[in-house]
Structures are given as structure tokens and as C-alpha cells.
Amino acid sequence: MSLTLDDLRVRTLGDCEYDSPFAEMLSTKRTSPHYVAEDDRVLVDDTVSVLLSHGVPIDRVPSFETAGPRKKIYFDPARTTVGIVTCGGLCPGLNDVIRGIVQELTEHYHVKRILGFRNGYQGLSKDSRHTTMELSLDRVRDINNAGGTILGSSRGAQDPEEMVDTLLIHEIDVLFVIGGDGSMRGATALTEVIDARKLDIAVVGVPKTIDNDLPYTDQSFGFQTAFARATDFIQSVFIESQAAENGVGIVKLMGRHSGFIACYAALSVNDADFVLIPEVPFGLEGDDGLLCRVERHLREHGQVVLVVAEGAGQHLLEASETKDKSGNAKLGDIGLFLKERITTKLSEVGLEPTVRYLDPSYAIRSVPANAYDSVYCVRLAHAAVHAGMAGRTQTVVVRWRRRFVHVPMALITGHRNEIDPDGDLWMSVLEATGQPANIGR
Ligand SMILES: Nc1ncnc2c1ncn2[C@@H]1O[C@H](COP(=O)(O)OP(=O)(O)O)[C@@H](O)[C@H]1O
Ligand SMILES: O=P(O)(O)OC[C@H]1O[C@](O)(COP(=O)(O)O)[C@@H](O)[C@@H]1O
Ligand SMILES: [Mg+2]
């Protein structure tokens, strides 16, 4: 997709007239390999060929506004009230982000009132708008030691007009939405109502997804923790299948539309023989199909390990029209399906398998963030606070090519981050597993 500078323009509520608490520290700072000055920008692309293909001077090629503290800010901290909400599925690090936002607002900006809305957008609805949580430093002190979110989360639509009424009742000036693509669509709907009513409320997003399926973000927070946890389950089925006669290990991992968790966990353990992801369709039948390939592998090596993303091979299952409360398609169970088909096939050819099947499901996303993700979360939280206090709105903060930047919300919801079957990640998976590029297709 070809972007223009206009697509990348971040919205702001107005001129920044208040001195930022960081003004003095920033006065001597210049762009360096480790810092981007607020009037500098970060390139979207990073290869010579793509940069040249734009055919415009370097200051016209697509670039992001840098994140970080500003010398001047839009909101007067002494008169600012902040809201925080976490929506959608859980992800390691949600509590770290909440805590980081509260710490930054309290300790540096001296914002006095921070409210957490309970249970996702539901907490902004008319019915539950009074069940807020005051977020003080004491309240968030050790919340990062636990998984989940102290605010709770939910799926399901709420009326944006009602939600904005709730923001007004609580006199919210800046709302931080920590959530995925659905949440960012919801946040966009909020900003549309805010605009229509000519209100002065900023909405800033911190993208969350263990599936790593949001674009313009290197890797989403919590993803590393989630795939690290997933490796435990691959190791388990590897050991089980190694010890059994004709051992087959199958692990199904989360990943509705994108197979990042499956690929990274499989590469980390480096013991998987087949990795199946939504982005690369496969067939079961025929000499080249998965079933025969599994059989041959088993005959040759005595064991076989498959890692399958939950969204893989959906074309092989009966189509379902079912959706969850947020409108996300409910998928068929590819893990159980493969377990049955592989068991039947191997039994038919006289290999009487011992099949070990694990579906760790929520076990990989309900854990606390690891040290790496915790660092990432706190830095995203800081960037979000700076963006909000500077009056950025309809904007998310992300890390892109190791720099923290501002991205318009519309870009984050515009398409999905998926594994490119022609890209180098999938090539690494093919190299590590030895599986062919096409299975039964
Ligand atoms: N198109 C949309 N417009 C408004 N709100 C939405 C939209 N899509 C999802 N939402 C709301 O955002 C919240 C989170 O969405 P969901 O898809 O469950 O999780 P995620 O944000 O992780 O993708 C839910 O309350 C859902 O109703
Ligand atoms: O919590 P639920 O509704 O069971 O959702 C499970 C889904 O949540 C996910 O973790 C993704 O969640 P999000 O849509 O919140 O990013 C998927 O991997 C999984 O399919
Ligand atoms: Mg989603």
C-alpha cells in the first residue's frame, strides 16, 4: 500500500501553549541514533529501492511523527482529568501499560485525577458508568506482577453517544484506549462523536494484540511473552512424542488471522516438523498432502510435531456464520480436526500412533509480561501520555523500526499484519521445519 504524508498526518486538538515538564530537558536535545527530535520524522520504509521508488525528495517520502515528550503541551496538567480503558482479549502487559500511564501522569505531569473505566467499553455505557476506579500510584503499585488487567475487559458493542456522555459526566480530557483493532474502531467512533459535538477530548490508543496482527508496529507488546509461554507446550508434546512409539505431537496456538505466535514459538523451540498458519493454505489429501507427509515423516524419524495456528486450514472445516459479541468470526477447531484426521490416517496405514494434543488457549495470554515486554509496555505508556498531553487525538503510539512514533488510528485499523508467504519469516520457518512451501496445493 502506498502512503502519502497526508495519510500519516496525526490529528491534534489545537496549539500547545502550556510549558511541558520536560521543556528544560529537551532544550539541548537533537536527533541522534538514539533519539528523534520532535520536529524530525521517522521513515516508514527502510530499503533503498522502496525509498527511491517514491521519486520524491527525502522530506516528502512517507514518514511518521515521532513520539515522545514535547516542549509545549496542549492540556494544563493541573486541570486535566484522564481516563483509561482496556478492551478486547487479554494480553500480557496490560497492567504494565496502565501502571506506566498512571506513573507518568502523576509523577511528571502532576495530573491529579485518573479514572479507570471497568470492563472495557461496557464501563463507558449508561448502565455501568459509575463503576470507575480511581487510579493512584498506590493503586497501581505492583499490578504489573499479575497478568490480565485490573480494569477488566470485554467484547461487544456500546453506543458511542452514550460513551461520550460518560466521558463528559466524568469530565475526561484525555482517554487512553488500550486495545486491538476492534477497540481502535471503537475509539475512532468515539472521536467522531467528540468532533460532531465540538468537544475538547483527546483519544489516544495503545495497540494491543497477542496475535501481533496490527500493522505499523514492530511487534505488539505481550507478543513475546505469549509466544515464549507457547514454547513450553511445544516442548511438552515433543518430549511426549519422542518417548512414545509412533509419537505425534500437535499444539494449537492462538492466532485468528495471523500465524505469528505459531511461527515464533516453533522457531524458538526449533523442533516442529510442520507449522500451519492461516496465511498459507494447505491440503490434506494426495501424495503431497499433509496426511501423507506426516506418515512419511513418522516412518523416517519415529516422531512428528505439528504446530497449528487456530485460524489455519479453516477452508477444510465446515463454514460457520457464528460471531462473538464484537463481531469477530468464531473459528472451527482445526486442532481437534487434525488430531482426528491424522489419527485415522496413521491407523489406516498400520502405524497405530500415540497422539499428544495440547490446546494451551488462554494459558499463553493470561500470564504477566516478561522483562522484555515490561520494558516495552512502560515505554509505550510514556509515549501515550506525551501524545495525549500534547493534544494528539485519533492517534496511536507504536514502535516502528525501534523508534516510537504516532500513527493515525485509521491506518492501524485499515489492514491486518499478516505473515507474508514470500517474506523472510516464513522462509525461516520453512528452513527450520524442512516442510515444503506448498502442502497438498
Ligand atoms: N467497528 C467497530 N465500531 C465500534 N466499536 C467496535 C468495532 N469493532 C469492535 N468494537 C468494540 O471494541 C471492543 C473490542 O473489540 P474486540 O474485537 O473484541 O477486541 P480487540 O480490540 O482486541 O480487537 C468491543 O467492545 C467491540 O464492541
Ligand atoms: O477471548 P476470546 O473471545 O475467547 O478470544 C479468543 C481470541 O482472542 C485472541 O487472543 C485475539 O484477541 P483480540 O481480538 O482481542 O486481539 C485470538 O487469538 C483468539 O482467537
Ligand atoms: Mg481484534
Side-chain angles (χ1 to χ4, degrees), residues 134-193:
E134 295 274 348
L135 294 171
S136 62
L137 282 181
D138 270 350
R139 180 64 192 86
V140 300
R141 191 162 312 282
D142 54 5
I143 61 171
N144 51 313
N145 294 328
T149 158
I150 54 158
L151 296 178
S153 190
S154 66
R155 299 195 190 273
Q158 307 297 334
D159 176 10
E161 297 282 350
E162 247 181 52
M163 292 201 280
V164 172
D165 290 341
T166 307
L167 296 179
L168 287 174
I169 287 170
H170 293 288
E171 300 177 330
I172 300 294
D173 300 291
V174 184
L175 177 70
F176 293 105
V177 178
I178 313 168
D181 56 335
S183 310
M184 295 310 144
R185 287 191 189 95
T188 306
L190 282 179
T191 58
E192 282 160 5
V193 175

Side-chain angles (χ1 to χ4, degrees), residues 268-342:
S268 169
V269 177
N270 205 359
D271 276 326
D273 304 303
F274 295 94
V275 176
L276 305 168
I277 59 170
E279 296 90 331
V280 182
F282 61 93
L284 292 180
E285 308 300 339
D287 198 44
D288 277 349
L290 183 70
L291 298 176
C292 282
R293 287 187 179 279
V294 165
E295 178 197 338
R296 283 200 293 275
H297 194 94
L298 195 56
R299 287 190 192 282
E300 219 169 299
H301 301 279
Q303 74 175 126
V304 59
V305 171
L306 297 94
V307 176
V308 53
E310 65 173 326
Q314 290 297 306
H315 58 286
L316 300 168
L317 306 172
E318 227 167 85
S320 149
E321 297 296 304
T322 337
K323 305 226 188 257
D324 71 11
K325 282 189 192 164
S326 293
N328 301 302
K330 284 205 174 183
L331 303 180
D333 195 331
I334 185 67
L336 281 180
F337 172 82
L338 286 179
K339 178 190 171 198
E340 279 165 28
R341 294 299 302 267
I342 289 170

Side-chain angles (χ1 to χ4, degrees), residues 203-215:
V203 180
V204 172
V206 182
K208 165 246 54 156
T209 154
I210 57 152
D211 293 354
N212 198 41
D213 58 359
L214 290 172

